[in-house]
Amino acid sequence: MNLLKSFTKYLIVFIFAVHTANAQNPIIKNQFTADPTARVFGDKVYLFPSHDILASPGKGREGWFVMEDYHVFSSDNLIKWKDHGVIVTQNKVPWVKPNSYSMWAPDAIERNGKYYFYFPSTPKDTTGGKGFNIGVAVADKPEGPYISQEKPIKNVRGIDPNVFIDKDGQAYLYWSGGNIYAAKLKENMLELDSEPVILQNLPTKGLKEGPYLFERKGIYYLTYPHVENKIERLEYAVGDNPLGPFKFTGVIMDESPTGCWTNHHSFLEFKNQWYLFYHHNDYSPSFDKLRSTRIDSLFFNSDGTIQKVIPTLRGVGLTKATDSIHIDRYSDISKLKTEVLFLDTTKKFEGWKTVFNGQNTWIKYNSVDFGTSKPKSILINYRASKGGIIEIKDDRNNIISTIILKEGSSWNVIEKPLKTATIGIQNLIITSKNNAKVELDWISFR
């Protein structure tokens, strides 16, 4: 019987340790994913980010951006993401300089049943001067396989390609390289159909890059990262034509409060809600060349201006009550004595833990979906060397459960009955009720 209990406890720990799909921002949790472009194809969202890796001997420049390939991910709910694997890699692109590790921010779009993936890199042929070219790979499905064109797009030098197809069917390519450039694309999506132009009336001080253009209710939004002060913030300008003129209008997202130097983004409307995809160095707080994709909801004012997005850890979407709820991706937190720390600083992709360091310290996690069946118990993965008491309430002050935690130096999963069963969508508040230090990894309901 003791052996069976031990095995059951181990099995519970294992199942929930590997089931981390519902921890929110960042959304990809097993690799770095920067510069996210998100597109709706069919009934799914496809994410095309760049792929940061650490430099190593013979692989890239130490202390700089190092990228050798691209993955594509898909989701039908913006929460659980499937990795379809590598779609383009540097040494299999005919025109790319081998081992250049410069596969920077990409984009993708569909036209006439074909999927076009645009990416910059360092070319083998430097007769046109220093810098990057932009190439295209084509596929019959959004997840690939993609076949790279033999040569990059002629008459384009720069980085950060973005493609937009207007309502009249005309396609446009945007890119950056000191300024932000734009040109029409031919129907084949592989060649320019006009001379590049520099988009005017944008800020002239500081670096501008990463253009992303979209249209909403007849307004064309040109959005881009810009270094107004010391690091990038996301800004936008509006116009009534894809080639401008544009008028600077405002800031979408302020500079990173933790000092991540870059930001790069895309906009998406999915199931009647707009979202901002962007990146931050969550898994690498001391080195901002390793970045991860985040999502937050986006809203417009009645005049079409964009409401500023405040970055969150909670991100978007509902979390099922029966999934592992990683409360460290919080909606709100008490200002004193509550911390979010890595579970293991040597294995940061394992995620974070919440640390309560005093009585009445708390954390809040919004939008937990209990469905229509009332759960009977709660599981909690914790560590408390001196024991502790955890209280879980909804935001109407109903106590769902009060859990007494036994002393122990190791992580422990326990299951306790609920005081109040609940249904529907709830916001949870988790509070430490004594002065002992308590660490929580996740909670889940049964």
Side-chain angles (χ1 to χ4, degrees):
M1 181 63 70
N2 289 337
L3 181 62
L4 179 60
K5 285 183 178 178
S6 297
F7 176 77
T8 302
K9 178 179 176 181
Y10 170 80
L11 184 61
I12 291 172
V13 172
F14 175 76
I15 289 171
F16 282 92
V18 299
H19 190 172
T20 59
N22 286 288
Q24 298 296 317
N25 282 332
I27 62 169
I28 306 299
K29 300 166 180 65
N30 64 351
Q31 61 188 275
F32 296 107
T33 52
D35 310 316
T37 286
R39 299 287 188 183
V40 178
F41 298 139
D43 59 357
K44 292 183 180 180
V45 174
Y46 287 83
L47 179 70
F48 297 86
S50 56
H51 183 197
D52 291 334
I53 60 174
L54 269 175
S56 59
K59 289 189 174 184
R61 171 182 158 191
E62 187 174 357
W64 193 237
F65 302 102
V66 182
M67 305 157 165
E68 66 178 328
D69 58 29
Y70 299 99
H71 289 237
V72 60
F73 304 82
S74 67
S75 174
D76 60 6
N77 60 10
L78 300 180
I79 298 171
K80 297 182 180 180
W81 293 86
K82 179 179 180 180
D83 182 0
H84 296 279
V86 174
I87 56 171
V88 174
T89 188
Q90 61 179 7
N91 292 342
K92 293 185 179 180
V93 179
W95 60 267
V96 170
K97 180 182 177 181
N99 301 320
S100 52
Y101 294 93
S102 56
M103 309 295 275
W104 286 14
D107 194 7
I109 205 160
E110 182 271 337
R111 181 158 209 166
N112 298 329
K114 296 285 187 180
Y115 297 87
Y116 298 86
F117 180 73
Y118 297 79
F119 59 95
S121 195
T122 305
K124 293 176 183 176
D125 183 357
T126 59
T127 55
K130 295 181 179 180
F132 283 61
N133 285 157
I134 292 173
V136 190
V138 186
D140 293 323
K141 298 184 294 183
E143 62 269 27
Y146 283 83
I147 305 300
S148 296
Q149 299 296 296
E150 290 290 324
K151 295 181 179 180
I153 302 173
K154 187 177 179 181
N155 206 23
V156 175
R157 295 196 68 84
I159 60 173
D160 301 340
N162 165 238
V163 182
F164 170 73
I165 300 177
D166 205 358
K167 290 175 287 188
D168 63 2
Q170 178 62 58
Y172 298 83
L173 178 68
Y174 302 82
W175 67 96
S176 59
N179 293 293
I180 293 179
Y181 298 84
K184 292 182 178 180
L185 279 171
K186 291 184 178 180
E187 179 78 17
N188 64 15
M189 305 297 286
L190 304 175
E191 301 172 271
L192 297 190
D193 200 27
S194 69
E195 290 296 315
V197 296
I198 297 174
L199 299 182
Q200 303 294 329
N201 303 324
L202 303 178
T204 56
K205 170 192 170 185
L207 175 68
K208 299 183 298 293
E209 56 178 357
Y212 188 90
L213 188 128
F214 69 98
E215 181 269 340
R216 177 183 178 271
K217 295 184 177 181
I219 299 174
Y220 295 87
Y221 295 80
L222 175 66
T223 68
Y224 51 89
H226 172 224
V227 182
E228 172 67 20
N229 296 303
K230 294 183 178 180
I231 62 175
E232 291 183 343
R233 67 184 189 184
L234 300 181
E235 300 177 356
Y236 73 108
V238 300
D240 58 8
N241 186 286
L243 295 177
F246 293 97
K247 179 182 179 181
F248 173 79
T249 307
V251 176
I252 303 162
M253 180 177 284
D254 288 328
E255 294 91 339
S256 161
T258 59
C260 184
W261 195 89
T262 65
N263 203 346
H264 192 108
H265 65 295
S266 60
F267 290 79
L268 181 78
E269 185 180 21
F270 183 59
K271 296 182 179 179
N272 299 314
Q273 173 63 51
W274 281 86
Y275 299 96
L276 176 69
F277 287 69
Y278 62 103
H279 71 222
H280 190 64
N281 59 324
D282 293 274
Y283 286 118
S284 179
S286 61
F287 183 58
D288 63 1
K289 307 301 184 291
L290 297 172
R291 298 140 315 161
S292 297
T293 297
R294 289 180 170 193
I295 315 174
D296 275 302
S297 297
L298 181 85
F299 300 93
F300 295 84
N301 296 312
S302 58
D303 62 357
T305 54
I306 297 173
Q307 295 181 18
K308 187 179 289 186
V309 177
I310 307 300
T312 75
L313 295 177
R314 176 60 183 88
V316 301
L318 298 174
T319 299
K320 290 183 178 180
T322 52
D323 283 341
S324 47
I325 304 170
H326 293 263
I327 60 173
D328 50 78
R329 307 294 86 192
Y330 59 82
S331 304
D332 199 4
I333 190 170
S334 56
K335 304 306 179 187
L336 297 174
K337 297 185 178 181
T338 308
E339 299 178 281
V340 170
L341 304 173
F342 284 108
L343 283 164
D344 185 340
T345 56
T346 66
K347 300 175 182 178
K348 292 178 180 175
F349 283 125
E350 291 187 359
W352 296 266
K353 60 186 176 183
T354 302
V355 183
F356 301 101
N357 290 298
Q359 189 172 13
N360 294 324
T361 54
W362 56 270
I363 203 163
K364 184 178 183 182
Y365 189 99
N366 286 352
S367 303
V368 177
D369 187 1
F370 284 83
T372 58
S373 300
K374 294 180 179 180
K376 295 180 173 59
S377 63
I378 182 172
L379 290 101
I380 181 169
N381 188 23
Y382 77 96
R383 183 165 64 183
S385 60
K386 297 182 179 180
I389 303 172
I390 292 294
E391 180 182 80
I392 299 176
K393 292 183 177 182
D394 63 26
D395 57 2
R396 293 185 295 277
N397 213 36
N398 298 313
I399 298 176
I400 296 173
S401 185
T402 300
I403 306 153
I404 297 174
L405 306 175
K406 294 181 179 180
E407 296 181 6
S409 58
S410 300
W411 287 98
N412 187 32
V413 176
I414 59 171
E415 184 173 5
K416 296 291 183 181
L418 299 183
K419 180 177 181 180
T420 302
T422 188
I423 61 174
I425 297 170
Q426 305 290 341
N427 300 329
L428 302 182
I429 302 170
I430 300 92
T431 304
S432 177
K433 301 304 289 185
N434 65 351
N435 282 317
K437 176 182 177 180
V438 174
E439 300 172 89
L440 294 188
D441 183 6
W442 49 260
I443 62 175
S444 184
F445 295 86
R446 287 186 161 191

